[in-house]
Amino acid sequence: MPLPAPEFSAPTQPDYPLRTERLRLRPVRAGDVPAINAYRSRPDVVRYLPHPPQTVADTELTVKSMMSQAALSEPGQWLDLAVEYGDGADPVGEVLLKWDGADPRLGEIGFVFSPAAQGRGIAREACAAALDLAFTGFGWHRVEGICDDRNGRSAALMTRLGMRLEATFVESDWFKGEWVSLRHYAILGREWPEVTLAGTGRR
């Protein structure tokens, strides 16, 4: 007879900001609208996101939704964190953690960054901080990441984070008027210390 799953609960309020060598991750604020709209309004940035290029009004609604979930209080919620770089207070991107609605020991990571942040290792450093929160802060067992099969940048980022490609579902999703294939990546909590020792995690 299988053993019952261990009881599990996640903290609801991280200690903000989450700091790395160069970055700070914190809840999204109303004043972030101009900076977030600057990249969420670009067709090249939102090509693989579930919305078209945003107007300022669109981004205001998005930010309002993000601000309502600065902490995870129940499974199924998203935690959206703005990423600050260097001395700047304006976000250069966002990292999202979703608490699985069916099993509270599981989660998902998502991310979006300004093109201005590319080529500096900012996305990897920010996502590593979020994974560290997921595993060492929340105690999650497994985190998954999903991207469009054509999204080479996201796929490469998840690989650099130590996530393995576990499956590609061919033409499994109707997205922006066409069938698309989705890559599913994942990493386990027990694997994360090896990744951080290799220099990918928080410093």
Side-chain angles (χ1 to χ4, degrees):
M1 187 173 183
L3 295 174
E7 294 186 5
F8 178 86
S9 61
T12 59
Q13 182 65 56
D15 185 17
Y16 295 123
L18 307 179
R19 296 181 180 273
T20 70
E21 183 175 324
R22 302 178 296 168
L23 310 176
R24 294 169 304 283
L25 280 67
R26 49 131 178 110
V28 175
R29 301 189 288 246
D32 295 332
V33 167
I36 291 176
N37 180 256
Y39 54 84
R40 281 187 175 256
S41 63
R42 294 178 54 125
D44 56 334
V45 171
V46 304
R47 180 182 179 190
Y48 303 115
L49 296 183
H51 60 74
Q54 291 188 334
T55 65
V56 173
D58 293 332
T59 303
E60 287 174 346
L61 292 175
T62 297
V63 166
K64 184 177 181 180
S65 176
M66 293 174 184
M67 290 171 58
S68 70
Q69 296 187 36
L72 295 174
S73 58
E74 60 183 51
Q77 290 182 333
W78 282 96
L79 176 66
D80 196 304
L81 300 176
V83 180
E84 297 179 348
Y85 171 66
D87 296 329
D90 289 336
V92 297
E94 307 145 46
V95 180
L96 303 83
L97 290 174
K98 183 180 181 181
W99 196 5
D100 190 272
D103 190 328
R105 296 161 297 179
L106 307 179
E108 182 179 338
I109 189 170
F111 42 84
V112 56
F113 286 90
S114 166
Q118 293 176 2
R120 305 183 189 182
I122 292 172
R124 185 178 70 172
E125 192 172 328
C127 290
L131 286 174
D132 196 62
L133 173 64
F135 291 129
T136 66
F138 294 161
W140 290 354
H141 172 69
R142 171 186 164 96
V143 174
E144 185 178 54
I146 303 171
C147 72
D148 190 301
D149 186 50
R150 301 165 297 179
N151 192 346
R153 287 186 181 274
S154 289
L157 173 56
M158 287 189 280
T159 298
R160 291 197 300 272
L161 287 164
M163 304 178 76
R164 81 187 135 267
L165 175 61
E166 295 191 334
T168 300
F169 293 91
V170 178
E171 296 189 10
S172 60
D173 191 43
W174 181 255
F175 180 76
K176 294 185 176 179
E178 61 182 329
W179 287 107
V180 299
S181 301
L182 298 177
R183 296 188 190 186
H184 287 244
Y185 290 80
I187 185 170
L188 302 176
R190 65 172 178 267
E191 298 169 327
W192 182 242
E194 298 180 9
V195 176
T196 58
L197 286 175
T200 309
R202 292 177 67 187
R203 304 169 191 175

